[in-house]
Structures are given as structure tokens and as C-alpha cells.
Amino acid sequence: MNTPLLQRDQVITFSNAQLEWCWRYFLLLISALKAREPTRHELAALHRCMSKMKTAYTDEYEHYLVDLYVKAGLASARQQYVRKGDIWKDLGFQNHDPASDIRGGGILCLENMLFFIHQHRHAAQSMIKKRATGWDTYETFPWAPASINITRLVAAEFFICGPGPAGSQAMASKKPKDSFPAKSSFHMLLEEDGFGRIYVLAFLLLDKFWDEKNATYMEFNSILDTVRSELSYAIALSATLPELEERIFRRVEYLPPPPVESWSVQDECQYSTQLPADDTTTIYCIHPPLARETLRFRHKANEITAA
């Protein structure tokens, strides 16, 4: 005769961790029950993100790299802007040509890097400085590739691409008319800079979990899975994007700066080159947040001056 698993009047106890996971699964189930197909406007936002992920780097987008070079702190009086060079490895790029590293996220990953630096300058530059050394010896993670992975993580959360290397192939084969799986949080992408704001939250989670676990680069995928789980859980709990931001900012103990002027990389970052009589190439990169700055790069003089 088989002994029943539970005896009469038997008391079952659960640890706090077990109760926490039960509660999480319950909330995720409720979120799944509220899932719906994206609306026409949400579908348009999803397709815009997908299009940017499929857009490969060309010289047309060099102003993105110029702005990233300056805002990430690579520029100095002794170091001019260079399109290709080992200086890019200070940001964690694996090669001397940063364009070769962004194939997995297209132009969208560059826009997200710039959004982070523009809207959360102190946090972004602090993270860059903290991760600038040690990644080549597996003590920490390289900032730029981590940023690209976070872009892909957020895209996978909203079914813009699939997780892992196979996700790129799935995204490439997806037609604009294809529908997306049901989800209850598509409306967050309709918020101003919605994708970029969620990307920042995920990146802050990565930085926080990394320090909490004192992780090494060999644990990168494990930490990324933790970020994915925490982000999905937070989205399931939040009805709006501001509520999601408040929840994660509190989790990572981060006090966001006051909102700055709305901006668009495409509209506000102006890039031009000209060849004056003295054969000096001048590059202007203009953006509005935190006062308009005009930075002039004089290649011949091998210096950078602020105009």
C-alpha cells in the first residue's frame, strides 16, 4: 500500500524564498492572463525598433560615434576623434572598429548608449570608468558589449527579436506584417523614449547584480539571466513605465537626475565635415541637453577645443 504524500493534520511550512517565488509565479500568471495583441500604434513602435536593429552601421551614422566618443570621455586635448583605433577598447569594444561590434543590435544599440549617457550622464560615466579596467582579465564586464546585450535583452522581452544568437536570424526573417505574441505591457513602448528608458533600467540592474555577487566575466550569462528574470517580474508588477522606473530605481538604490530636455539622436545630433583651405577637417557635434555644446575636432592640429 502506497503511503500518501500528505498525512492528515500535517503542517506544511515554506521558507521565505519559496513564498517569494510562488508569489512571483502568481503575478506572472496574472500578467499572462491580461496579455493582448498590440494595438496599431504599439505595432508601429515595435516595427520601428525592429527596423533600427536591422539597420547596419554606415558612414551616414558616424555622428553617433562622434557623440559617443565625446560623451563617454574618450576625447581629450591629446586624443583626437578617430573612427578606428585602440582607444575604442577603453569602452570595452572588442575591436579597433566599434562598428564591427554592433551588428547584433544595429543602430538601436548605439542610440541606447547615447540615450543613457545623455539622460543619466553621471551614472553612465561612473559605470564606464568602473568597468574600464579588468574586463580583459575577466574581472568585470566590457561596457559596450554589455550595453549591446542589454539592448537585445529588452528587445527579446517585447518579442522584437529572439534571445541568443538565433534571435538575429529570427528577426531578419520577420516581415513587417507579421504579428507579435500577446503581452500586457506593449503600451510602455509608446511612452516618450520608452525603449531607451527600459534599457537604462535593465543596465542599472546588471551593474547592481554584478557588484552584489562580485561576479567575474565568466558569470556574465548567469547575471544576464537574473536581469532578464527581474525585469520581467518588475514589468508584470507595473501598470505604467513611470511605476516600473520607480520600482527598479528603488531596487538598485539609484536617485535619477531631474528630467532633461527631450531629445532625438536623429534630429538633434548634427554632424558635418568640411575641408578648409588649410586642409583641416572640422567635425561639429551639437546636442541640446545640459546646455548646447559645440565641439570642434581639428585633426591637423591634433587637438580638441570647445567653441
Side-chain angles (χ1 to χ4, degrees):
M1 183 176 178
N2 294 330
T3 304
L5 295 177
L6 298 177
Q7 302 294 333
R8 185 176 181 180
D9 298 328
Q10 180 179 351
V11 177
I12 303 176
T13 59
F14 294 94
S15 65
N16 289 335
Q18 289 172 324
L19 289 174
E20 172 69 15
W21 279 109
C22 288
W23 178 242
R24 286 193 176 214
Y25 280 121
F26 171 75
L27 292 174
L28 290 174
L29 176 60
I30 295 298
S31 177
L33 292 175
K34 296 190 296 183
R36 55 172 177 74
E37 295 292 326
T39 65
R40 178 169 57 88
H41 295 295
E42 292 167 350
L43 200 58
L46 291 166
H47 286 149
R48 281 195 297 271
C49 293
M50 183 187 298
S51 176
K52 290 179 180 180
M53 288 195 73
K54 294 167 67 174
T55 302
Y57 176 86
T58 63
D59 290 342
E60 176 187 356
Y61 299 102
E62 188 169 2
H63 56 279
Y64 286 29
L65 292 181
V66 173
D67 206 23
L68 179 63
Y69 190 92
V70 175
K71 287 303 178 184
L74 299 182
S76 68
R78 293 176 297 176
Q79 179 61 57
Q80 63 179 358
Y81 165 76
V82 289
R83 169 64 182 78
K84 299 179 182 180
D86 289 340
I87 186 68
W88 288 105
K89 293 184 179 180
D90 290 354
L91 283 184
F93 285 105
Q94 307 297 302
N95 302 291
H96 70 286
D97 181 5
S100 64
D101 284 2
I102 66 172
R103 297 171 185 169
I107 294 304
L108 182 63
C109 66
L110 273 179
E111 288 191 357
N112 285 337
M113 291 180 194
L114 290 173
F115 179 82
F116 189 16
I117 293 175
H118 276 284
Q119 302 295 319
H120 303 269
R121 177 177 297 196
H122 178 74
Q125 291 183 342
S126 175
M127 191 188 300
I128 290 171
K129 183 178 180 180
K130 181 168 55 174
R131 307 303 176 189
T133 58
W135 62 264
D136 53 341
T137 55
Y138 303 106
E139 296 174 10
T140 186
F141 60 82
W143 186 83
S147 172
I148 296 169
N149 275 276
I150 290 296
T151 292
R152 291 190 54 79
L153 183 150
V154 176
E157 176 69 24
F158 291 94
F159 310 114
I160 296 171
C161 74
S168 298
Q169 299 175 2
M171 180 182 64
S173 62
K174 198 165 189 174
K175 304 296 190 299
K177 63 182 180 180
D178 288 350
S179 61
F180 287 78
K183 191 177 181 67
S184 62
S185 54
F186 284 127
H187 64 280
M188 292 185 180
L189 295 179
L190 294 181
E191 294 273 358
E192 184 176 8
D193 300 316
F195 191 101
R197 289 159 65 183
I198 298 173
Y199 152 88
V200 169
L201 299 177
F203 212 166
L204 291 174
L205 283 172
L206 174 67
D207 190 61
K208 180 68 173 180
F209 293 157
W210 194 277
D211 289 342
E212 285 182 349
K213 298 186 178 181
N214 195 24
T216 65
Y217 190 57
M218 304 304 292
E219 301 172 90
F220 182 82
N221 289 335
S222 174
I223 300 295
L224 204 62
D225 287 339
T226 303
V227 172
R228 182 180 296 107
S229 174
E230 190 70 22
L231 181 65
S232 297
Y233 176 57
I235 288 176
L237 284 177
S238 307
T240 63
L241 182 52
E243 183 181 341
L244 174 65
E245 289 177 313
E246 181 182 356
R247 188 181 305 279
I248 292 185
F249 286 154
R250 186 168 59 247
R251 171 64 180 87
V252 301
E253 300 175 337
Y254 173 65
L255 181 63
V260 298
E261 180 183 345
S262 177
W263 70 287
S264 167
V265 175
Q266 191 69 28
D267 298 334
E268 300 292 353
C269 186
Q270 304 172 7
Y271 166 78
S272 65
T273 60
Q274 50 185 300
L275 193 62
D278 61 354
D279 293 335
T280 300
T281 300
T282 304
I283 299 177
Y284 299 96
C285 185
I286 306 172
H287 40 78
L290 305 180
R292 289 187 177 273
E293 303 173 36
T294 303
L295 297 169
R296 180 175 300 166
F297 299 79
R298 296 191 178 276
H299 286 198
K300 184 178 179 180
N302 193 27
E303 65 179 4
I304 299 177
T305 58

